[in-house]
Amino acid sequence: MRSQTDEALMERFRDGAQDAFEDLFARHAPRVQGFLARMVRNGALAEDLLQATFLSVIRSRGRYEPGTRFTPWLMTIAANAARDALRHQRHVDAYASQEDSATPASPAPDDSDPSLRRHLLDALQQLHPDHREAVVLSKVEGWSFEEIGALRGISPGAARLRAHRGYEKLRELLGELALEVAR
């Protein structure tokens, strides 16, 4: 399946080869969906964003420049889709909280999960989207700061700074749990 590079497949797809797109989708969909799921922490939304990402690839194929590395280009599209969805959700949540403030508040059900994974995922969602993206890409996806910088159009140092700020905020949010993880 890896007989052609991603870039060669994308160029073939630009020229109308549908099978090239199918190969790209098969190669990258699982990784992109995992990234999106970690970014938005909602499986159904991540699936929708995966479809939107690859629909954007189809629509943008004419703007793909030969010689451009495919994976960073694809991940930029996915990251933008996730950021847009998160921004939209913040607006929906803000509107809902305005609606809720007009009615008496009822106690929220206790859905706390004692596992470290649950706490970490909750803390990740509280990070600024740029910081969360840098943390997920560096620690979970294994990307270098050079790759993250290229993806976002920033310097590797700026990517490192975003990740560092994310790590610091995670330490703050996790408190004692961060000390357990460090051990």
Side-chain angles (χ1 to χ4, degrees), residues 101-175:
S101 66
T103 61
S106 60
D110 183 13
D111 64 350
S112 64
D113 184 346
S115 72
L116 179 61
R117 178 178 168 78
R118 175 73 177 182
H119 290 292
L120 180 58
L121 290 173
D122 289 341
L124 270 172
Q125 291 308 302
Q126 295 179 48
L127 297 180
H128 184 278
D130 288 341
H131 300 164
R132 179 174 50 245
E133 179 182 50
V135 168
V136 169
L137 286 174
S138 68
K139 289 297 183 190
V140 179
E141 295 292 327
W143 285 37
S144 71
F145 292 116
E146 290 77 17
E147 291 171 321
I148 297 169
L151 170 71
R152 298 305 316 138
I154 58 176
S155 71
R160 180 176 282 112
L161 180 62
R162 286 181 181 183
H164 176 73
R165 287 181 177 161
Y167 304 146
E168 290 298 314
K169 184 67 174 176
L170 282 174
R171 281 187 200 95
E172 175 187 319
L173 291 170
L174 293 173

Side-chain angles (χ1 to χ4, degrees), residues 40-109:
V40 299
R41 201 164 154 226
N42 177 322
L45 179 57
E47 179 66 32
D48 290 345
L49 293 174
L50 174 70
Q51 300 303 320
T53 297
F54 279 94
L55 184 58
S56 290
V57 168
I58 292 169
R59 290 179 179 157
S60 302
R61 71 179 175 253
R63 292 190 305 266
Y64 177 81
E65 295 182 26
T68 301
R69 290 183 52 223
F70 178 76
T71 301
W73 183 75
L74 174 65
M75 294 303 282
T76 298
I77 294 170
N80 288 338
R83 265 194 299 286
D84 289 346
L86 291 170
R87 189 176 309 116
H88 174 74
Q89 189 59 49
R90 276 195 303 274
H91 292 303
V92 168
D93 290 347
Y95 180 77
S97 69
Q98 289 174 350
E99 293 284 318
D100 291 344
S101 66
T103 61
S106 60

